[in-house]
Amino acid sequence: MDIKVSLKNTDIKAEDIAAKKAQANTGLDKLWSGELDFTGWVQAPLNQDKAELDYILNVADIVKTEAELMVVIGIGGSYMSAKAAIEALPKTEDGIEVRFAGINFCSPYHRALMDEMSRKETVLCVVSKSGNTMEIRAAFDILKELMEKKYGSKEAAARRIITITDKESGTLRAETNEADYVNFEIPGDIGGRYSAMTPAGLFPMAVAGIDIRALIEGEKAAAVSPEWDKDATDYAIARQLMMEQGKAIETIEFYDPRLTYLGEWMKQLYGESEGKDGKGLFPATLNFSTDLHSMGQFLQQGSQIFFETVIVVDEYEEEIMIPAGVLAGKTLEDLNRAAVQGVTAAHRQAGIQVIEIHIPKLDAYHYGQLLYFLQTTCAITGMLMGVDPFDQPGVEDYKREMRKALGQL
Amino acid sequence: MDIKVSLKNTDIKAEDIAAKKAQANTGLDKLWSGELDFTGWVQAPLNQDKAELDYILNVADIVKTEAELMVVIGIGGSYMSAKAAIEALPKTEDGIEVRFAGINFCSPYHRALMDEMSRKETVLCVVSKSGNTMEIRAAFDILKELMEKKYGSKEAAARRIITITDKESGTLRAETNEADYVNFEIPGDIGGRYSAMTPAGLFPMAVAGIDIRALIEGEKAAAVSPEWDKDATDYAIARQLMMEQGKAIETIEFYDPRLTYLGEWMKQLYGESEGKDGKGLFPATLNFSTDLHSMGQFLQQGSQIFFETVIVVDEYEEEIMIPAGVLAGKTLEDLNRAAVQGVTAAHRQAGIQVIEIHIPKLDAYHYGQLLYFLQTTCAITGMLMGVDPFDQPGVEDYKREMRKALGQL
């Protein structure tokens, strides 16, 4: 296991962690027992279906050869993991552009996308367990019409539509069967925010040129590592202890702009898993060093209702050297490392607690480890908090009110 | 004044606002008195220097004609306002691409930018009061070398470098004078986060094709409006009352992806103005409807340490209709309006307070009003809280520690 957690810049003592270790390990055992609903992701890396993976890679190869653009219609768990990986990871040259729709109700956004679809050979990929989510429905119905006009007929368009949906139930499954779309299945025992390693995440990543075999290898290495349990439960316990100290916010911080959407993915993972029964740490992401020049003042001297979790990349594939001036001879990454150290020291002096998570390199293999690490940690914190980390009972409320409002418009 | 505030979905009563109105109005008078440091922005819309504006527009015209790309090196207040406006507002067709550097220490980010600069006719624009900020220094020294190689000599590169800096002092002023760069001045009595309407914001916006005259007209309309005072102080008082109720977080929400960076600008404006002396509301931005599918569960049922401020655009320039299916005949914006209503109703039923700020249209004129409104509100809330909304005494701490760390690398 190459993901490392450091609590040295917190007030948490070894005995505080030890006191909750048995409870955290019980949580870990429960995850592995297979008894809990929606824990299919825990053992999935060990049981990867070779035929399914080959099929994903084969279809991705065809799409990469025949199209210049793939538009993925998905939101929440059917969007975030693919978007985050595509922003973060190196991609092979044969990877094509992947854009997203169904993530807002904004005409100018869709107009720009439709202009691009008109100009480029396009494949449409719809990712949804049900197919009823309103954002997905609206975008699919608009963009399907464009595809039918562009390619001349319903049938020609259908050959360029791929769906990723439930095996049996739901509107999108029915449409898939009727139109005979190429399709992949989202396993029924894995919820949206834990679905990065299902076809929902893997297929768009593969089309973009990400090495999804290495990603899965990373997940697998994490899943079988005995060291693993220690760091994952340490971080989970630390988060629970911060809540017990009265901290309301976890600022999730990166020093690399490529990790911006990993932060968005973490917001869903943590917020939706833990924010229930009036509980939960509010997850807020910060992109350093940019955000040091906006939120830096608040962090240093404002209301101390937060603790920080910083995700540090240790090695970079390239370091550009500054050729002249007072910083001559340093690389940008030298400055970045100094920023990580300097910010941590200054915040620590102000009494702020900083948890560090280190990832050796930003490549598919280590990123796979990181995703599995974060999912495990989140699930265990939820169990320590006494909530079900796999349900989302509150998400229907606004949808019901929205349908009511729509009826009155 | 076309920006409207509604407190109808909060627990705040008219008498609560009335009780603090005199204090808020005193704050407003202080802002207008000219006695406070760094309040040059308050009267600036009324005293716009016509010659300076013409000069900005003339230089922008030359850049638009001669270059395909302008790279702006700036961070914090020298970055956010231009970036936010460029993302949010309509742009004329002669506007060119504006990209930003100096916002991170990331080689892959800079490598991609340098590749683009190599291929395109490029102007470099450096925005910094001092020129010593490390991100700016590093990016400028790297990209200046590229410009010198690309255009063959120091002199040829210098003709394609524009600076926006202090009138007299600082490293960048000295370099500007020595190399005779075309330059604009950042007024000494306006701080970074209030500098949107100075050349720091206006020049990059103009190069991108934004109608900066309309933006300034909007600001001016806001500054002279008597209605203005009511809504600006209402919102400022409401924010202070939320703090007194024990709320720790203000979630700043948009239903339009084009406003993402306005949210980032607001994070700096609010966080840096108020986060001091152990005080401040933690500003967290949410992009709906995407973030309803990530943070929606937390908002509905999680820890209620927050209140919401939603910025609603009332009219859209285009509404795409859904051509088929269950939503046929509705536009994307119908769904968006239903989402605003539905989310507000569902959150209100859960006991959450929602402040609404309405902007009639997303154009330069109304956006100018909005910026002035938000700056005024922020300054008044700071005064109600008992902090100086114009200083940032904590931002040097990490820089000092960072220099120490850099020396040890």
Side-chain angles (χ1 to χ4, degrees):
Chain A
M1 247 298 287
D2 302 309
I3 309 297
K4 300 285 174 205
V5 172
S6 166
L7 303 178
K8 69 172 189 247
N9 289 307
T10 69
D11 301 337
I12 294 169
K13 296 186 192 71
E15 57 262 37
D16 302 331
I17 298 285
K20 288 193 190 292
K21 205 69 179 188
Q23 200 190 344
N25 284 335
T26 304
L28 202 56
D29 290 343
K30 266 196 207 162
L31 284 185
W32 278 89
S33 71
E35 288 163 18
L36 298 180
D37 284 344
F38 295 107
T39 53
W41 58 273
V42 179
Q43 303 205 27
L46 308 186
N47 307 318
Q48 186 70 44
D49 181 340
K50 198 190 162 301
E52 187 192 44
L53 186 57
D54 286 344
Y55 182 49
I56 290 175
L57 288 165
N58 287 340
V59 176
D61 279 342
I62 296 169
V63 171
K64 287 189 283 186
T65 310
E66 299 200 350
E68 301 163 271
L69 169 69
M70 183 165 85
V71 174
V72 176
I73 301 179
I75 195 165
S78 302
Y79 154 61
M80 295 285 188
S81 68
K83 173 75 176 169
I86 292 169
E87 294 290 319
L89 295 177
K91 289 168 282 291
T92 51
E93 285 204 355
D94 68 340
I96 65 168
E97 208 172 343
V98 174
R99 293 198 184 277
F100 293 87
I103 51 175
N104 55 55
F105 296 118
C106 176
S107 289
Y109 180 93
H110 284 79
R111 177 62 63 205
L113 193 64
M114 289 161 81
D115 288 347
E116 198 178 343
M117 289 172 69
S118 302
R119 290 194 309 273
K120 293 181 180 171
E121 289 300 323
T122 301
V123 162
L124 201 58
C125 174
V126 190
V127 190
S128 177
K129 268 203 170 176
S130 69
N132 295 329
T133 308
M134 240 185 277
E135 287 87 346
I136 304 306
R137 203 63 262 166
F140 188 25
D141 287 329
I142 290 170
L143 300 184
K144 190 168 63 173
E145 193 200 35
L146 184 149
M147 293 288 284
E148 289 168 0
K149 283 188 183 155
K150 182 179 166 85
Y151 292 106
S153 73
K154 270 189 194 312
E155 292 67 29
R159 284 194 295 273
R160 296 184 154 261
I161 294 173
I162 295 168
T163 61
I164 306 179
T165 188
D166 188 81
K167 189 174 180 174
E168 291 169 347
S169 65
T171 313
L172 189 57
R173 168 52 58 194
E175 287 174 275
T176 297
N177 292 348
E178 198 191 319
D180 203 20
Y181 297 138
V182 169
N183 70 92
F184 305 103
E185 291 164 14
I186 305 177
D189 60 349
I190 300 181
R193 61 189 177 274
Y194 294 87
S195 71
M197 295 292 168
T198 73
L202 294 173
F203 177 66
M205 293 180 206
V207 170
I210 287 171
D211 182 354
I212 62 170
R213 282 190 196 279
L215 199 77
I216 292 168
E217 281 309 306
E219 266 224 313
K220 197 168 164 182
V224 299
S225 161
E227 297 166 65
W228 172 263
D229 302 355
K230 187 189 162 302
D231 276 25
T233 51
D234 277 4
Y235 176 40
I237 293 169
R239 298 180 71 242
Q240 169 62 19
L241 290 169
M242 294 294 179
M243 260 178 280
E244 292 176 11
Q245 284 181 25
K247 297 302 179 195
I249 302 169
E250 178 174 15
T251 59
I252 298 166
E253 302 166 351
F254 309 95
Y255 284 80
D256 189 316
R258 294 173 295 173
L259 293 174
T260 305
Y261 281 87
L262 176 69
E264 295 304 310
W265 177 81
M266 284 178 73
K267 268 165 63 179
Q268 178 179 11
L269 179 66
Y270 285 7
E272 202 166 62
S273 297
E274 301 168 4
K276 49 198 75 162
D277 306 337
K279 297 181 183 176
L281 286 165
F282 188 98
T285 55
L286 294 171
N287 287 296
F288 293 160
S289 60
T290 297
D291 285 349
L292 289 170
H293 296 256
S294 62
M295 289 295 291
Q297 167 65 35
F298 190 108
L299 297 175
Q300 191 72 46
Q301 297 187 328
S303 170
Q304 285 196 2
I305 43 162
F306 64 91
F307 70 96
E308 303 178 45
T309 294
V310 50
I311 300 194
V312 183
V313 181
D314 287 325
E315 273 179 52
Y316 296 89
E317 61 276 29
E318 184 196 3
E319 302 200 11
I320 296 177
M321 191 171 286
I322 299 157
V326 290
L327 298 170
K330 304 283 186 197
T331 68
L332 288 175
E333 282 64 25
D334 287 335
L335 296 172
N336 217 23
R337 282 181 280 262
V340 175
Q341 278 186 44
V343 170
T344 305
H347 289 187
R348 199 66 194 118
Q349 285 160 23
I352 298 152
Q353 302 182 69
V354 184
I355 297 173
E356 283 175 40
I357 299 174
H358 287 261
I359 170 170
K361 285 177 71 171
L362 212 45
D363 59 19
Y365 176 72
H366 294 101
Y367 190 83
Q369 289 192 13
L370 183 65
L371 294 188
Y372 193 83
F373 171 83
L374 295 170
Q375 290 182 187
T376 306
T377 292
C378 174
I380 295 174
T381 309
M383 291 192 268
L384 291 173
M385 285 171 58
V387 300
D388 178 346
F390 305 115
D391 70 357
Q392 51 282 331
V395 302
E396 283 307 311
D397 295 4
Y398 89 85
K399 293 181 186 175
R400 185 190 60 239
E401 293 300 321
M402 185 179 161
R403 281 189 293 267
K404 230 188 265 180
L406 193 61
Q408 288 159 3
L409 278 180
Chain B
M1 247 300 288
D2 303 310
I3 309 296
K4 300 286 174 205
V5 173
S6 166
L7 302 178
K8 69 172 190 249
N9 289 307
T10 69
D11 301 337
I12 294 169
K13 297 187 191 71
E15 55 262 37
D16 303 331
I17 298 285
K20 289 193 190 292
K21 205 70 179 187
Q23 200 191 343
N25 284 334
T26 304
L28 203 54
D29 290 343
K30 267 197 207 161
L31 283 185
W32 279 89
S33 71
E35 289 162 18
L36 298 180
D37 284 344
F38 295 106
T39 53
W41 59 271
V42 179
Q43 304 205 28
L46 308 185
N47 306 319
Q48 187 69 44
D49 181 339
K50 198 190 161 300
E52 186 193 44
L53 186 57
D54 286 344
Y55 182 49
I56 290 175
L57 288 165
N58 287 340
V59 176
D61 279 342
I62 296 169
V63 170
K64 286 189 284 186
T65 310
E66 298 200 350
E68 301 163 271
L69 169 68
M70 184 166 84
V71 174
V72 176
I73 301 179
I75 195 165
S78 301
Y79 154 62
M80 294 284 188
S81 67
K83 173 74 177 171
I86 291 169
E87 293 290 320
L89 295 178
K91 289 168 284 291
T92 51
E93 284 205 355
D94 68 340
I96 64 168
E97 207 172 343
V98 175
R99 293 199 185 275
F100 294 86
I103 51 175
N104 56 54
F105 296 118
C106 176
S107 290
Y109 181 92
H110 283 79
R111 177 63 61 204
L113 193 63
M114 289 162 82
D115 287 348
E116 198 177 343
M117 290 172 69
S118 301
R119 288 193 310 272
K120 293 181 179 170
E121 288 300 323
T122 302
V123 162
L124 201 58
C125 174
V126 190
V127 190
S128 177
K129 269 203 170 177
S130 69
N132 295 330
T133 308
M134 239 185 280
E135 287 87 346
I136 305 306
R137 202 64 262 167
F140 188 25
D141 287 329
I142 290 169
L143 300 184
K144 190 167 62 174
E145 193 201 36
L146 183 149
M147 293 288 284
E148 289 168 0
K149 283 189 184 156
K150 182 179 167 81
Y151 292 106
S153 72
K154 270 190 194 313
E155 294 67 29
R159 284 195 296 273
R160 296 183 155 260
I161 293 174
I162 295 167
T163 61
I164 305 178
T165 188
D166 189 80
K167 191 175 179 173
E168 291 167 348
S169 66
T171 313
L172 190 56
R173 169 50 59 194
E175 288 174 274
T176 298
N177 293 347
E178 198 191 319
D180 203 21
Y181 298 136
V182 169
N183 70 93
F184 306 102
E185 290 163 14
I186 306 176
D189 61 348
I190 300 181
R193 59 189 179 274
Y194 294 88
S195 71
M197 295 292 166
T198 73
L202 294 173
F203 177 66
M205 293 179 206
V207 170
I210 288 171
D211 183 353
I212 62 171
R213 283 191 197 278
L215 199 77
I216 292 167
E217 280 310 306
E219 265 223 313
K220 198 168 163 180
V224 298
S225 162
E227 297 166 65
W228 173 264
D229 302 354
K230 186 189 161 301
D231 276 25
T233 51
D234 277 6
Y235 177 39
I237 293 169
R239 298 180 72 243
Q240 170 62 20
L241 289 169
M242 293 294 180
M243 259 178 279
E244 292 176 11
Q245 285 182 23
K247 298 301 179 196
I249 301 169
E250 179 174 16
T251 60
I252 299 166
E253 302 166 351
F254 309 94
Y255 285 79
D256 190 316
R258 294 172 295 172
L259 293 174
T260 305
Y261 281 88
L262 176 68
E264 295 303 309
W265 177 80
M266 286 178 71
K267 267 164 62 179
Q268 178 180 12
L269 180 66
Y270 285 6
E272 202 166 61
S273 296
E274 300 169 3
K276 49 198 75 161
D277 306 336
K279 296 180 182 176
L281 286 165
F282 188 98
T285 55
L286 294 171
N287 288 296
F288 293 162
S289 59
T290 297
D291 285 349
L292 289 170
H293 295 257
S294 62
M295 289 294 291
Q297 167 64 34
F298 190 108
L299 297 174
Q300 192 71 45
Q301 299 188 326
S303 170
Q304 286 196 2
I305 44 162
F306 63 93
F307 69 97
E308 304 178 45
T309 295
V310 51
I311 301 196
V312 182
V313 181
D314 287 326
E315 272 180 52
Y316 297 87
E317 61 276 29
E318 184 197 3
E319 302 200 11
I320 295 177
M321 190 170 287
I322 299 157
V326 290
L327 299 169
K330 304 283 185 197
T331 68
L332 288 174
E333 281 66 24
D334 287 336
L335 296 172
N336 217 23
R337 281 181 282 264
V340 174
Q341 278 186 45
V343 170
T344 305
H347 289 187
R348 199 68 194 115
Q349 286 161 21
I352 298 152
Q353 302 182 69
V354 184
I355 297 174
E356 282 175 39
I357 300 175
H358 288 260
I359 171 170
K361 283 177 73 171
L362 213 44
D363 59 19
Y365 176 72
H366 294 101
Y367 191 83
Q369 290 192 12
L370 183 64
L371 295 188
Y372 193 82
F373 171 83
L374 295 170
Q375 290 182 187
T376 307
T377 292
C378 173
I380 295 174
T381 308
M383 291 191 270
L384 291 172
M385 283 171 59
V387 299
D388 179 347
F390 305 116
D391 69 357
Q392 50 282 332
V395 302
E396 283 308 312
D397 296 4
Y398 89 84
K399 293 181 186 174
R400 185 190 59 241
E401 294 300 321
M402 186 180 160
R403 282 189 293 267
K404 231 188 266 180
L406 193 60
Q408 288 159 2
L409 277 180

